[in-house]
Amino acid sequence: MTDLFAARAQMAMSLAFHILFAVVGMAMPLLMVIAERLHQRRGDAVYRELAERWSKGTAIMFAVGAVSGTVLSFELGLLWPHFMAFAGPIIGMPFSLEGFAFFLEAIFLGIFLYGRDRVPPLAHLLAGVMVLASGTASAVFVLCANAWMNTPTGYTLGAGGEVVDVDPFAAMWNPASLSEVLHMTSAAFAAVGFAVAGIHAAMLLRGGRRELHRPALRIALTVGAVFALLQPITGDLAAKHVAEHQPIKLAAMEAHFDSERGAPFRIFGWPDEQAEETRYAIEVPYVLSFLAHGDPHAEVKGLKEFPREQRPPVAVVHVAFQIMVGCGLVMIAVASLGAAFAARRRALPDWYLRLLVVSAPLGVIAIEAGWTVTEVGRQPWVIQGVLRTADAVTPMPHLVVPFAAFTALYVVLGVTVLVLLRRVVFAAEVPAHVPVGMSSETSREVAR
Amino acid sequence: MTPDLMIAGVMLVALILYTLTGGADFGGGVWELLAGGPRKDAQRRLIDVSIQPIWEANHVWLILLIVLLFVCFPAAFAAVCTALHVPLALMLVGIVLRGSAFVFSHYDPLHGRGALRWGGVFALASLVTPVTLGIVLGALGSGFEVDPRTGFVATDFVSQWLAPYPFAVGLFTLALFAFLAAVYLVCEADDPLLRADFRARALASAAVVGASALLAFLVAPPAIRHDLSASSWATPLHLATGLAAVAAIVALWTRRDRLARACAMAQVTLIVVGWAVAQYPYLAHPGYTIAGTAAPVSVLTPLLVALALGGLVLFPSLAYLFVVFKRRRAA
């Protein structure tokens, strides 16, 4: 394993791990605030219990998100010092604002989690709203910084290659910012909505308390469905943007080697980078041209237009893109079904609950795949067209050691979080009535 | 005052606040590890309750600090992250373990039975992070030469930090955090016996703080010893620090706990300021100065405005947090 590969692997692993916790920390407050608001308006204790249970899970996820995010902010320098020496000042504005937003999120999460009996109800609700607002804001800022790596703007280079005339706000609101922000924030809400809906659907199927899990499912599924149905719109915006600003990335996403008019949209297929062709794909004619440029006869540039050393790993990007789109389409179908049930005011049948359980991880998978598309699709550049990843890496040797160490650490953490969330979910089931014969080992232990 | 110096001042404030808040949280982990006697569980419970609502927020000072470093002094950030990769990575492992272990042991309905025996990890991680943080701060005092061929820091990735002085500073930092935590816990406790427990711990750790400070001074390379006393501010600062330290001990001894807390906070603040004065004008001695590594003014000026506006939102929120959770005992 080369040091460059180890550094990339460590960065990818850290991002993939952190993003799971970051989206929960960002989207769960919406569910918590809705439940809290319903509790305060209707005085129904079930909603209060719901807000508290969701808060517990959020606190666990937020803590791991906070520390894994700290790791990332250091890893930028530990692994990519030359990138940070160049880019740090230019994208400093969104990073600094993110620092403040994260600070506010941590402060008000503390108040929301532990302050229920210490502050008035309205202040408690507003603390939740602040967590939601600042959590979303910090996601927006981080996405702006990432967008800058795709479309670097807001600075000029001096004679000696040094950065001069930085316009921090132009760098922050770079061309890619809007589409990345919209696509990813709504992905986070959709993914978390589906994940939570899946958990409550599972509890209902196990014979859990209906009066608790049904309203929980309703809130989570509504949030998940609304944002899942928004994703085609934000995704279209993102695709058109990529087509214009990063044609190589679009070509890799579609495994599109030859420039052509009326380009087809490929479903499945395996790109052969040596032979420069994509096999076994189902091709839907004209659709790619239409999606990328809004015109079925528009020309879509193929990978052959670009020298090999400027192309990203096509297979990885293409497969990841297929996974993202596939998950998204299934989520849209599930969301539409749910909307149909809601419109007819029908109770959700068991087969639909089972479908929700199966769909629970789809949003998260789509997010991981989507980040693979945008990050691997930008290679070999760390800053598109400006700085190559290989030139940004630290001179530090033996990078495989920190990669292995942090991977092991995160595996242990990940397993622990899963075990812990399971315990918390089951433990909270106990106070009502332990269904005879259904109590797991965990809930029996707690009941003692 | 130039914008770069103002940013450096903000970073110093962030470091002080991180030490006073986050540092004390790490110190709490030390006392969790060393909990003992008839009130062992009560001690642990008090530490848990004291840290719980605020530690996430306390931790953000470190993030703010690191962000300001890479935004405003990018060359220094790159050099430090490269030469001190190893202690920084260890510090991160400590931060990750501490943060997660704390929340795991807190939220586990089975209280750490079975697969989730994490309490010990929290305490152990609470040792690693202060020591490595101290190592990093100590290491910044010497050895950061710019390689004229590459324009990048000249480093073998080891020699800048693997030396007696950084480790002595690491030990000192650990003792200081533990001292601070013990003094805070004296004020947080309602039970007089528990107060006495932490008062004894505060006095013992004050002795360790003094001893490790002496050790650090003795093993300091001549250049650092020179820097520590070079500035015309140095002598009054050292005197004030010493005074605050003595006052904290006397106040603890005479059971004026609130006063002891104020003195300990003053002492720690003065120590960090003293470190910064000795460090000035270098971020990493001798190749990386504040002025020499500063980002263009077009970056710094808008950032200062953003910091000021951010502070307008941040400080009232932070004050609210502390009022909500610490008011009863402070009143």
Side-chain angles (χ1 to χ4, degrees), chain A residues 122-442:
Chain A
L122 182 64
H124 187 244
L125 182 67
L126 285 179
V129 173
M130 282 299 291
V131 177
L132 175 62
S134 49
T136 306
S138 68
V140 169
F141 293 130
V142 168
L143 288 165
C144 287
N146 178 267
W148 181 86
M149 294 159 72
N150 287 317
T151 52
T153 49
Y155 70 100
T156 44
L157 284 181
E162 78 279 9
V163 173
V164 290
D165 286 335
V166 177
D167 181 343
F169 294 100
M172 190 160 93
W173 292 120
N174 61 75
S177 293
L178 181 69
S179 61
E180 267 201 40
V181 163
L182 291 177
H183 197 49
M184 179 59 204
T185 46
S186 89
F189 287 109
V192 171
F194 266 77
V196 174
I199 291 171
H200 288 287
M203 300 305 282
L204 280 172
L205 287 169
R206 282 164 172 265
R209 294 160 50 201
R210 300 182 74 78
E211 80 283 2
L212 177 75
H213 294 296
R214 278 167 69 176
L217 179 63
R218 201 159 51 232
I219 297 172
L221 185 58
T222 307
V223 169
V226 166
F227 284 98
L229 292 171
L230 279 177
Q231 279 304 65
I233 303 167
T234 64
D236 180 58
L237 192 69
K240 290 200 164 55
H241 175 86
V242 169
E244 188 186 339
H245 291 270
Q246 292 176 294
I248 313 181
K249 187 188 273 186
L250 182 83
M253 283 156 69
E254 277 298 311
H256 184 66
F257 283 98
D258 295 289
S259 294
E260 59 184 308
R261 296 185 172 281
F265 186 84
R266 286 182 186 76
I267 301 168
F268 307 119
W270 183 257
D272 182 335
E273 289 173 58
Q274 289 310 311
E276 300 192 307
E277 60 179 352
T278 300
R279 300 198 187 94
Y280 321 118
I282 303 166
E283 299 194 349
V284 189
Y286 302 112
V287 173
L288 178 59
S289 286
F290 179 72
L291 287 177
H293 300 289
D295 168 7
H297 298 288
E299 185 183 30
V300 178
K301 277 190 183 170
L303 286 160
K304 285 181 185 172
E305 300 259 334
F306 309 96
R308 279 177 188 262
E309 72 274 9
Q310 289 197 13
R311 296 180 200 167
V314 181
V316 176
V317 180
H318 177 64
V319 171
F321 182 64
Q322 299 277 316
I323 292 173
M324 178 186 78
V325 173
C327 290
L329 289 175
V330 175
M331 287 166 75
I332 289 167
V334 174
S336 312
L337 264 175
F341 284 122
R344 295 184 184 178
R345 304 195 171 279
R346 276 186 44 194
L348 300 174
D350 276 4
W351 65 264
Y352 185 71
L353 294 181
R354 267 180 225 113
L355 187 61
L356 283 179
V357 174
V358 178
S359 314
L362 289 182
V364 172
I365 295 171
I367 286 176
E368 297 284 5
W371 277 103
T372 307
V373 170
T374 193
E375 290 299 290
V376 178
R378 195 189 57 238
Q379 302 303 325
W381 304 99
V382 61
I383 307 169
Q384 181 76 48
V386 176
L387 183 67
R388 281 173 179 270
T389 312
D391 297 328
V393 74
T394 177
M396 170 99 183
H398 310 303
L399 288 178
V400 67
V401 177
F403 166 56
F406 277 96
T407 306
L409 180 64
Y410 282 175
V411 167
V412 172
L413 279 189
V415 171
T416 311
V417 168
L418 283 179
V419 173
L420 182 56
L421 284 178
R422 210 166 154 264
R423 277 188 189 180
V424 169
V425 168
F426 280 116
E429 278 303 283
V430 174
H433 49 84
V434 183
V436 182
M438 289 214 46
S439 70
S440 68
E441 193 189 336
T442 323

Side-chain angles (χ1 to χ4, degrees), chain A residues 59 63 67 70-71 74 77-78 84 89 92 96 103-104 107 111 114 118-119 166 397 413 416 420 423 445-446, chain B residues 52 56-57 59 61 66 70-71 77 81 85 96 100 104 107-108 110 113 116 118 157 298 303 317-318 320 324:
Chain A
V67 292
T70 310
V71 170
F74 276 88
L78 293 177
M84 288 311 287
S96 306
F103 222 138
L104 292 176
I107 289 171
I111 294 172
Y114 305 105
R118 288 172 179 259
V119 300
V166 177
L413 279 189
T416 311
L420 182 56
R423 277 188 189 180
E445 251 188 299
V446 173
Chain B
Q52 193 185 70
E56 290 279 14
H59 172 75
W61 289 115
I66 200 73
F70 74 57
V71 173
F77 174 73
C81 280
H85 189 119
V96 169
S100 356
F104 291 166
Y107 278 101
D108 184 6
L110 303 187
R113 266 183 286 150
L116 299 176
W118 278 83
F157 312 103
S298 54
L303 196 68
S317 308
L318 207 54
Y320 184 59
V324 165

Side-chain angles (χ1 to χ4, degrees), chain A residues 81-107:
Chain A
H82 299 290
F83 163 61
M84 288 311 287
F86 179 84
I90 308 170
I91 50 175
M93 187 54 77
F95 270 117
S96 306
L97 295 176
E98 195 271 342
F100 279 107
F102 180 60
F103 222 138
L104 292 176
E105 191 182 359
I107 289 171

